Structures are given as structure tokens and as C-alpha cells.
Amino acid sequence: MKRQRILFVIPPYFNVEDYGNDNRSNVLPPFTIPYGILSLEAYLKEKCHTPPEVAILDLNLPLKQALETNLAHDFAAMFKHLVENAMDEFRPSIVGISALFNISFRYINDLARTVKEESPDVLVLTGGGLPSAAFRQILELCPAVDAVCKGEGEIPMTDLINAPDQILLLDTHASWITRRGLAQGKNPSHTFVQDLDEIPMLNYSMVDLDNYNNRSIDKRFVGQKKREMAIHTSRGCPFLCVFCSNPSLHGRKVRAMSLERVAQEIGIMQERHGLTVLLIEDDHFFFDRDRAKAILRAIAPFKIRIEFPNGVAVYGIDEEMAELFAKAGVSTVALAVESGSDYVLNKIIKKPLKTNMVKDKVQMLRRHGVQCHVFIVIGLPGEMEEHRQETLSLLLDVGFDWAHIFCAVPILGSRLHEICVENGYIDQIGFLDHVNTKSVIRAPGVDPDEIEQAAYEMNLQVNFVHNHNMRNGNHETAIKYFHNVITKYPEHAFGQYYLSEAYTQVGNEDCALQARVRFDAIVENDAWWREHASRYGLLLDAASH
């Protein structure tokens, strides 16, 4: 069989229009190594009768460069040029467009059309979180796409490469859906790799790891030399949190690597790629707490720093787990609290968590020197202002090293999306463009503009005005976090003001004065910041210095 060539294209997963404008809540996200594609490549290389050649075009990277050099005014033309060049140089027989989030939808049709214009006979396929949930919309609105893969792609893609008749395979395979299958009423289903140890070690030489080295959430280490890499020791999550679309991609049954495979993979990352920071990105690391503890014990000898940036279940933490975190090298965990209201947690999100356990769990972690971040989502249908006030009260009472506050987004494949569609809570015209910096849900108690404002005000209060580390005398840590803010947002008045306060507390008057002068200039020239600074008493305080 002729050796096939597969070009995987990753469309941007951030909203380009929101980056670089005056919206203070948006910043370019850190980019994630395309693990799904690397896993596919490794699996195909071992399982296909004739292993294909694989190449990756991650469009996030050139778009980031264009934004940083103010050359992103015509990114559509740039993408067309990059895809055309890749087609000419690599000459693929299959192009796979891998999309995770709603925001990527806007690019899929143009990318697919460019491929077909260059090579009409090339198969154009899509997969990932978004197409898995939105296969109908993809096939209806993107005529240049030939088929969509439901869920994980290792086995479906292998079956396609090995098939003597690929068109027939796409029409008949359980996990592939075409327009013909859609017209016949076919509903695609998952075909999972049940034993994750069967997936060979990933070939990281396919990407430049330096492009994916900024996902760490512990800002105490910003500026230090590092090599960040992630591991997914399991796939799947049994929970059905209202805003999560994970079941449409990985399913509810958890499948896990063996302890031996986890240790082997980390060892290779360290020996071959210089791993120094391991990001554990399981959807539900605590699905088996004994296994989680065993993994932490197995990781400890590697002497690396570890973070959990995706959020972990609060209930899974006990004194032994906190101690094992510390011994393994865990510096920071993000806790998936989501709301400070028991009503919202239990009745709306359907999350098995009681808010009265959060503070004790955070104190357990802190006793062992582990920092705590928190994820919060506001603006869910059924949430009222009183519930948001409960969330604010919990954040201020518990005190986190940093709070990540998001507006609820109806992601395709989530129960939230179904609820919003059924009740008319979202505008259906542009729903595939929804991003987590934009509130788009309009429901009783939820106004989009008010939710965006509430999210930002909560951020100012929790992370700046009542910053946990400032309140508890951890000024050096606070400096690291505030400095990270002003590096991303030089015009962030609160970042400059509280950086000045932190420097004052450690006796660094020169740096304190520099930040204070910058704060003064911002509030003098920006009415929005001046109003906020006045409301929180920062102008009076600045005048007294």
C-alpha cells in the first residue's frame, strides 16, 4: 500500500479580535503542545500496515508572532498562504483539522476550502472537542470538509489508513460521520483505546518545545529557565458538570495508564527533553485516590516541580495527599471550586462539593507548602446576584494565591449549551464563536454585560485589593504575581499600584517608586482606571505618599 501523508492543521483557539484592543480582560493564552496529534502520530506509526508520514501546522504560532509585530490585520490571507505552502511542500493525501474550542469554528471552512482549492482529491477531515460535539454544524456549514471524527482518533484514524476503500470506511465506521451518513440518520459513537499503555511514547521532535513553555501557573518561578511538559495519565471523567464538554471527547468511563508507564514517560521527558516542570492535566486525577497517591510516590524520585493547572477535585485532598504533593514536588494546584454558592454547585453545576470543605482543604495544602489557585465560573442560568456575592465571600474568606474567574460559556457538547439552546438564552447566529472572556448568556438573573463587569470586579477585589499574600505578609510572592500581571498588561493600574505596595513592604523603594509613577500616569490618562482607583481609595492613598 502506498505510504500516505497526513497534514494536521490546528486553527487558532483564541479570539484574535480581542487581543490587542482595549478590552482589559483578554490576554493571549499560553499554547499547549498538541498532545492529541502527537498521540495519533505515535499510534499510527505502530498500528498502521504502512505507517504514514505526519506533519503539523499549528496556526496559533504564526498568529501570535503576527500580533506581536502588529501584522495580524489580514490573518485570513496569512493562513491561506501558510496552508498553500504546506500543501505544496508536504503534498498530503489527508488533511486533518484539529479543533478544541468553539472559537476555532470560524476558521475551519476557510482552511478546508483552501486545501480543496489546492488539491481537490485530498481528504479533509476534522476532529477534536469541537467537531466531536458539533459534527452536524461542521458538515452543514463547512462544505469542503469530507468527514468528522467523533471522540478520540487513534483507532478511527488507524482504521482509515488501513482501509482499502477509505470513502466506504468513512461512511460505515462507527466513529466517522459524513454527509451521507448524516442523511441516513447515523449518529457517530466513540471508539476508545481502552489500554492507554498501548499508545507508544510520543515523538516530541515533531514540535519545537520552546513554543509551548508558558503554561505554568506558579508565577514565583517566572523568568527562571525551565522546560514545561504535560502528562495525561488518564482519560475520561465520570462527572457531568454543566459547563463541561469532556464526555463528548473522552467519555465518562475513566481509562488510565499503569504506574509503570507514567514513570517511564516522565523519565523519557526528563532524560531526552530536559523536563523541569511537569503539568499533570488529567480530567479527574482523583478518580482513584489510591492510584493518585501511588503516582505521587512514583514521581518523587525525579526531583522535578509539579503543577496541576487544569483543576483538581477538592474532595480528593486529605492530609496524606497534601503531604504526598509536597514530597513529590508539587508547588501549585488549581482547585476546581467553580462557585461559592452551594445552590449553584449542587442544583445548577451538579457538582458533588460543599463549600464548607474548601477552606480546610486549602489549609491542608498550605501546611505542606503547596500554593492554591482556584477556578470560578459565573453567569450560569439560574445563578443570581446573591450567589455571586456568596462566591466573593468565599474567595475572600479562604484566600487563594490567585483566582481565575471566567464567564460561563455554552461549549458545544456541554449540558449548558443544551440548556441555553432549549431556553433561548443565547444568540444562535454566532454561538460557535463564544469564548470564555465573553459573557453571551442572557437568562433570569444573568445579563451578559453585568456578568463581564462582575467577573472583572471580582478579579480586582480578590487578586489585588484583598490579595491573600499581601494580607498575610508574603510580599515576595505577591511581587512575583503582580510583576507577571504588569508584564502582560503594562497599563494595568491595579497591578502597578499593588506592586508598588509590595515593594514598599520589602524595603525596595526604588522599584516601589517606579511602579507608583507608572500607576499615577495610567490613572491620569485613563478615565476607566481612574474611576476604579477612586472607588477603591487608591487615589487618596497615592496622594498621601
Side-chain angles (χ1 to χ4, degrees):
M1 182 180 291
K2 181 181 178 181
R3 190 178 191 188
Q4 299 197 52
R5 294 170 177 255
I6 308 173
L7 172 65
F8 286 105
V9 180
I10 305 172
Y13 41 73
F14 63 92
N15 189 19
V16 63
E17 287 89 354
D18 285 346
Y19 181 72
N21 66 13
D22 61 358
N23 188 326
R24 297 167 176 84
S25 64
N26 292 338
V27 67
L28 196 65
F31 299 141
T32 302
I33 293 173
Y35 294 99
I37 295 175
L38 295 185
S39 180
L40 273 171
E41 190 272 344
Y43 197 86
L44 294 173
K45 190 173 182 180
E46 181 167 296
K47 302 294 184 179
C48 289
H49 303 324
T50 303
E53 292 184 49
V54 176
I56 300 173
L57 175 61
D58 186 348
L59 294 175
N60 288 283
L61 305 179
L63 182 56
K64 173 180 182 290
Q65 184 177 24
L67 286 165
E68 291 173 343
T69 54
N70 295 317
L71 295 175
H73 53 278
D74 193 357
F75 57 86
M78 178 179 70
F79 292 162
K80 180 176 174 64
H81 175 71
L82 290 169
V83 171
E84 288 173 346
N85 282 351
M87 295 290 292
D88 289 341
E89 294 175 7
F90 189 63
R91 299 197 175 279
S93 54
I94 297 174
V95 171
I97 302 175
S98 177
L100 287 176
F101 307 114
N102 291 20
I103 189 65
S104 297
F105 177 82
R106 61 172 66 181
Y107 305 103
I108 292 176
N109 190 51
D110 286 345
L111 295 173
R113 185 171 59 242
T114 297
V115 171
K116 289 293 190 179
E117 288 172 351
E118 283 288 298
S119 303
D121 295 333
V122 168
L123 275 178
V124 178
L125 314 172
T126 65
L130 171 63
S132 291
F135 60 88
R136 294 181 185 278
Q137 292 92 332
I138 296 287
L139 292 173
E140 289 171 0
L141 301 175
C142 303
V145 171
D146 294 305
V148 176
C149 180
K150 171 76 172 181
E152 297 168 12
E154 285 93 351
I155 292 176
M157 201 72 186
T158 300
D159 291 342
L160 177 66
I161 299 302
N162 287 337
D165 186 334
Q166 292 186 332
I167 301 301
L168 178 63
L169 185 285
L170 291 173
D171 282 334
T172 58
H173 193 285
S175 296
W176 288 104
I177 182 70
T178 62
R179 288 177 188 81
R180 184 179 293 109
L182 202 61
Q184 295 171 350
K186 179 181 176 181
N187 193 27
S189 58
H190 297 104
T191 309
F192 292 137
V193 177
Q194 296 299 328
D195 182 0
L196 299 187
D197 285 10
E198 290 183 1
I199 301 174
M201 294 295 169
L202 308 191
N203 177 16
Y204 290 103
S205 66
M206 294 194 66
V207 297
D208 183 347
L209 291 174
D210 288 341
N211 291 324
Y212 306 94
N213 204 37
N214 195 32
R215 186 161 161 72
S216 171
I217 61 174
D218 190 339
K219 301 311 177 186
R220 294 174 298 179
F221 299 91
V222 169
Q224 295 185 16
K225 186 177 179 181
K226 61 183 177 179
R227 167 63 67 218
E228 295 177 3
M229 299 180 75
I231 189 169
H232 304 253
T233 78
S234 65
R235 295 180 181 180
C237 180
F239 298 131
L240 278 174
C241 293
V242 69
F243 47 73
C244 182
S245 63
N246 181 68
S248 69
L249 182 60
H250 295 302
R252 296 185 65 187
K253 180 182 177 182
V254 180
R255 294 155 288 131
M257 291 180 180
S258 66
L259 294 178
E260 295 75 17
R261 169 58 187 265
V262 172
Q264 182 186 15
E265 191 157 319
I266 295 171
I268 289 175
M269 290 179 186
Q270 188 176 51
E271 293 168 12
R272 297 182 185 174
H273 306 290
L275 168 72
T276 62
V277 182
L278 180 69
L279 309 178
I280 298 179
E281 296 189 341
D282 292 32
D283 293 309
H284 186 31
F285 184 69
F286 291 148
F287 80 94
D288 180 336
R289 279 193 277 188
D290 289 338
R291 175 184 180 272
K293 292 175 180 180
I295 285 178
L296 293 170
R297 294 188 188 99
I299 292 176
F302 289 102
K303 305 296 181 184
I304 53 179
R305 188 164 68 80
I306 300 168
E307 294 185 13
F308 287 80
N310 272 9
V312 298
V314 176
Y315 81 85
I317 298 165
D318 56 25
E319 200 70 47
E320 182 185 11
M321 190 74 75
E323 182 179 2
L324 287 171
F325 272 173
K327 289 181 177 179
V330 176
S331 69
T332 303
V333 297
L335 299 178
V337 175
E338 320 300 4
S339 176
S341 164
D342 284 322
Y343 176 84
V344 172
L345 286 170
N346 305 145
K347 301 297 184 181
I348 299 176
I349 298 178
K350 307 296 185 183
K351 191 179 187 72
L353 171 66
K354 297 292 184 183
T355 57
N356 60 13
M357 72 170 61
V358 176
K359 191 169 187 177
D360 288 343
K361 304 296 187 179
V362 169
Q363 289 175 344
M364 282 181 194
L365 291 167
R366 286 215 169 103
R367 280 197 293 271
H368 295 280
V370 179
Q371 276 200 159
C372 296
H373 287 215
V374 65
F375 290 146
I376 296 293
V377 178
I378 69 170
L380 293 162
E383 176 192 88
M384 299 295 174
E385 176 59 25
E386 65 192 76
H387 302 133
R388 293 188 280 276
Q389 287 303 314
E390 289 176 345
T391 296
L392 178 59
S393 296
L394 179 132
L395 292 174
L396 295 177
D397 178 49
V398 174
F400 294 91
D401 292 280
W402 205 258
H404 306 265
I405 301 161
F406 303 101
C407 299
V409 177
I411 301 172
L412 265 293
S414 68
R415 286 194 301 113
L416 177 59
H417 179 260
E418 294 174 3
I419 291 169
C420 288
V421 171
E422 290 171 2
N423 292 278
Y425 292 157
I426 55 174
D427 173 11
Q428 283 293 287
I429 295 175
F431 72 101
L432 284 164
D433 285 343
H434 296 160
V435 292
N436 63 10
T437 53
K438 294 284 190 181
S439 179
V440 295
I441 299 170
R442 187 177 298 277
V446 176
D447 176 89
D449 293 335
E450 292 177 2
I451 292 300
E452 286 188 29
Q453 181 178 349
Y456 202 74
E457 291 292 335
M458 198 177 289
N459 164 60
L460 291 180
Q461 291 190 53
V462 175
N463 291 326
F464 297 93
V465 179
H466 303 291
N467 180 274
H468 167 79
N469 284 303
M470 289 291 285
R471 285 189 290 165
N472 288 273
N474 304 321
H475 299 114
E476 293 288 357
T477 295
I479 286 170
K480 293 285 189 180
Y481 276 81
F482 294 145
H483 197 272
N484 178 67
V485 170
I486 67 162
T487 299
K488 292 180 177 178
Y489 310 96
E491 302 302 305
H492 196 296
F494 278 44
Q496 298 286 359
Y497 177 87
Y498 286 101
L499 179 62
S500 175
E501 291 289 290
Y503 273 130
T504 297
Q505 293 297 323
V506 300
N508 189 334
E509 294 299 335
D510 288 341
C511 287
L513 179 60
Q514 183 179 354
R516 180 74 61 144
V517 168
R518 189 76 204 110
F519 165 78
D520 290 341
I522 294 169
V523 296
E524 180 179 351
N525 294 298
D526 190 319
W528 190 92
W529 276 119
R530 185 163 59 251
E531 188 273 329
H532 279 71
S534 176
R535 177 145 39 96
Y536 288 103
L538 306 192
L539 296 182
L540 292 174
D541 185 67
S544 68
H545 280 65

